[in-house]
């Protein structure tokens, strides 16, 4: 594996391409066979030290590329930015795995922007499909503003934390068993941040955080003690208590990802989270353009059907990024 990657790096063509990237020159196309594309991505990841996005046309192709990356770059930070199952304009919640995979990506990229967060030692490789990239998400500014670091010795009212976690989309439960949940037992708060492999437990002495530990939800045993945790949104939207989408009694949001364009009026895609000089590689531009056109055509037709059936307001905002916007965003990286 390393032998192959080093062979690629030693070629004149690779060195010329690397120079083009480092000078931030847009390249229309390389015409590489598919068998060479992932090894090239992995070689670049080790040389340019910045995030790489690999954009392909369909979800199954993205998943295949993501799985194959495990062979070429087993030690790298790899993320699959998934596309939701519901159609655009379909009033349905996203699946838990889709939600978590997308939030993992947003959290990894937010580390480049949060002043109190450590930048990744190894830049991530993100694989995504056209429809996943088109899907609107929470604006970067809102995501960063909502992300809070909780540290040992910090003074904060547990009730205030619970209130905030509800706004961020966390679900109150008796026992935390999956990502996106929290619970309280006296002075002990448990929370499972979607980007973390295990939930965390905060022990309070009054309003002071006395201990923070990561624990196994099955055995409830401590796995590791922590100095701090970063709590990020559990959904790709934030619903404050005074929002019309919040329940009048409980304040719990009666929403799903369907409401993202209603809650967050500013159009945003995950590409907005990329730090400057990130590298975006398109697997096949023609196929991606064709897929985007197909998705947009399907969405426009479905929207009209929903409006005629009166299941969708005529003024409902567009829940996706158009190809012209998406292409402009790609060009700006």
């Amino acid at each position: 594996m390393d032998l192959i990657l080093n062979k690629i790096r030693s070629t004149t063509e690779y060195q010329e391409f690397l120079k083009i990237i480092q000078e931030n020159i847009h390249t229309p196309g390389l015409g590489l066979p598919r068998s060479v594309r992932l090894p090239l991505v992995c070689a670049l990841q080790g040389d340019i030290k910045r995030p790489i996005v690999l954009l392909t046309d369909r979800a199954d192709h993205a998943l295949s590329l993501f799985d194959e990356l495990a062979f070429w770059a087993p030690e790298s930070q790899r993320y699959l930015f998934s596309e939701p199952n519901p159609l655009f304009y379909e009033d349905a919640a996203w699946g838990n795995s889709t939600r978590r995979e997308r939030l993992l990506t947003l959290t990894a990229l937010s580390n480049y922007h949060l002043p109190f967060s450590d930048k990744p030692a190894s830049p991530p490789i993100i694989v995504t499909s056209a429809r996943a990239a088109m899907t609107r998400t929470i604006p970067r500014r809102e995501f960063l503003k909502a992300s809070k670091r909780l540290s040992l010795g910090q003074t904060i009212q547990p009730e205030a934390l619970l209130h905030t976690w509800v706004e961020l989309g966390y679900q109150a439960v008796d026992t935390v068993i999956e990502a996106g949940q929290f619970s309280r037992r006296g002075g002990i708060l448990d929370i499972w941040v979607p980007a973390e492999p295990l939930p965390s437990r905060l022990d309070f002495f009054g309003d002071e955080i006395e201990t923070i530990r990561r624990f196994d939800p099955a055995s409830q045993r401590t796995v590791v003690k922590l100095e701090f945790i970063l709590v990020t949104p559990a959904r790709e939207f934030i619903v404050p208590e005074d929002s019309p989408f919040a329940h009048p009694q409980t304040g719990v949001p009666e929403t799903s990802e369907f409401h993202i364009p209603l809650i967050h009026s500013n159009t945003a895609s995950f590409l907005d989270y990329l730090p400057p000089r990130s590298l975006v590689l398109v697997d096949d531009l023609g196929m991606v353009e064709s897929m985007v056109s197909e998705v947009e055509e399907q969405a426009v037709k479905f929207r009209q059907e929903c409006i005629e059936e009166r299941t969708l307001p005529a003024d409902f905002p567009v829940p996706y990024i158009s190809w012209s916007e998406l292409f402009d965003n790609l060009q700006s990286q």
Side-chain angles (χ1 to χ4, degrees):
M1 203 164 39
D2 288 338
L3 179 63
I4 296 174
L5 296 183
N6 289 332
K7 284 286 186 182
I8 292 174
R9 289 189 176 100
S10 67
T11 63
T12 303
E13 293 80 4
Y14 175 83
Q15 291 300 322
E16 290 176 350
F17 182 53
L18 185 60
K19 184 178 179 181
I20 289 173
I21 292 174
Q22 291 170 337
E23 292 177 356
N24 212 33
I25 300 173
H26 291 281
T27 306
L30 297 177
L32 295 173
R34 292 195 175 274
S35 59
V36 181
R37 295 179 186 180
L38 284 184
L40 175 66
V41 169
C42 296
L44 288 172
Q45 194 239 6
D47 289 336
I48 65 174
K49 303 299 182 183
R50 39 184 157 136
I52 296 176
V53 175
L54 182 56
L55 174 65
T56 189
D57 58 337
R58 300 193 334 230
D60 58 333
H61 289 164
L63 181 59
S64 177
L65 290 169
F66 177 75
D67 289 340
E68 192 177 341
L69 266 176
F71 170 78
W72 289 106
E75 303 298 326
S76 70
Q77 297 295 316
R78 298 172 293 110
Y79 297 95
L80 177 66
F81 193 69
S82 302
E83 64 178 59
N85 288 326
L87 300 173
F88 290 130
Y89 299 110
E90 183 179 2
D91 189 356
W94 298 351
N96 287 337
S97 59
T98 297
R99 184 179 296 140
R100 190 176 189 192
E101 286 167 348
R102 289 173 63 91
L103 287 169
L104 277 167
T105 302
L106 297 183
T107 301
L109 293 176
S110 71
N111 287 327
Y112 284 93
H113 307 285
L114 291 167
F116 50 77
S117 182
D118 295 330
K119 305 301 181 287
S122 175
I125 301 176
I126 301 163
V127 183
T128 191
S129 64
R131 196 164 79 88
M134 292 172 69
T135 304
R136 285 178 58 173
T137 186
I138 177 175
R140 188 184 79 184
R141 182 176 181 276
E142 298 298 317
F143 189 93
L144 298 178
K145 184 179 177 182
S147 300
K148 303 296 183 184
R149 176 168 168 158
L150 299 175
S151 306
L152 282 179
Q154 183 176 341
T155 300
I156 187 169
Q157 292 183 347
E159 291 78 9
L161 280 181
L162 300 179
H163 177 80
T164 300
W165 292 349
V166 169
E167 290 185 351
L168 296 185
Y170 287 87
Q171 178 188 9
V173 294
D174 293 330
T175 304
V176 171
I177 57 173
E178 62 182 38
Q181 296 179 338
F182 74 88
S183 68
R184 180 184 187 181
R185 296 182 308 282
I188 299 175
L189 303 187
D190 292 347
I191 184 169
W192 195 333
V193 179
E196 298 297 338
L198 292 171
S200 299
R201 176 163 294 160
L202 286 71
D203 290 279
F204 279 81
F205 182 75
D207 291 343
E208 181 181 327
I209 301 176
E210 194 171 38
T211 63
I212 303 176
R213 28 189 181 140
R214 193 161 289 149
F215 69 95
D216 182 340
S219 66
Q220 295 293 304
R221 292 181 177 178
T222 298
V223 174
V224 63
K225 292 184 178 181
L226 305 171
E227 295 291 324
F228 65 89
I229 60 169
L230 177 64
V231 178
T232 56
R235 299 286 185 96
E236 289 180 49
F237 57 83
I238 298 173
V239 183
E241 188 179 27
D242 59 356
S243 167
F245 298 101
H247 191 282
Q249 278 78 45
T250 64
V252 177
E254 295 182 326
T255 54
S256 70
E257 287 79 8
F258 169 78
H259 297 93
I260 288 175
L262 293 173
I263 298 169
H264 300 288
S265 58
N266 293 334
T267 303
S269 82
F270 96 98
L271 295 174
D272 299 325
Y273 286 69
L274 293 172
R277 294 178 59 80
S278 295
L279 178 63
V280 180
L281 301 172
V282 182
D283 188 32
D284 188 310
L285 184 59
M287 292 177 66
V288 169
E289 287 180 323
S290 177
M291 176 57 65
V292 171
S293 298
E294 181 181 325
V295 170
E296 285 189 293
E297 183 179 341
Q298 180 190 55
V300 170
K301 182 179 179 180
F302 186 61
R303 175 192 176 95
Q304 189 58 40
E305 291 174 357
C306 292
I307 292 174
E308 290 173 358
E309 294 170 0
R310 300 193 176 184
T311 58
L312 186 77
D315 60 350
F316 192 88
V318 176
Y320 57 87
I321 312 295
S322 67
W323 172 245
S324 59
E325 292 175 287
L326 192 63
F327 189 74
D328 287 345
N329 208 331
L330 291 174
Q331 291 285 84
S332 67
Q333 297 301 324

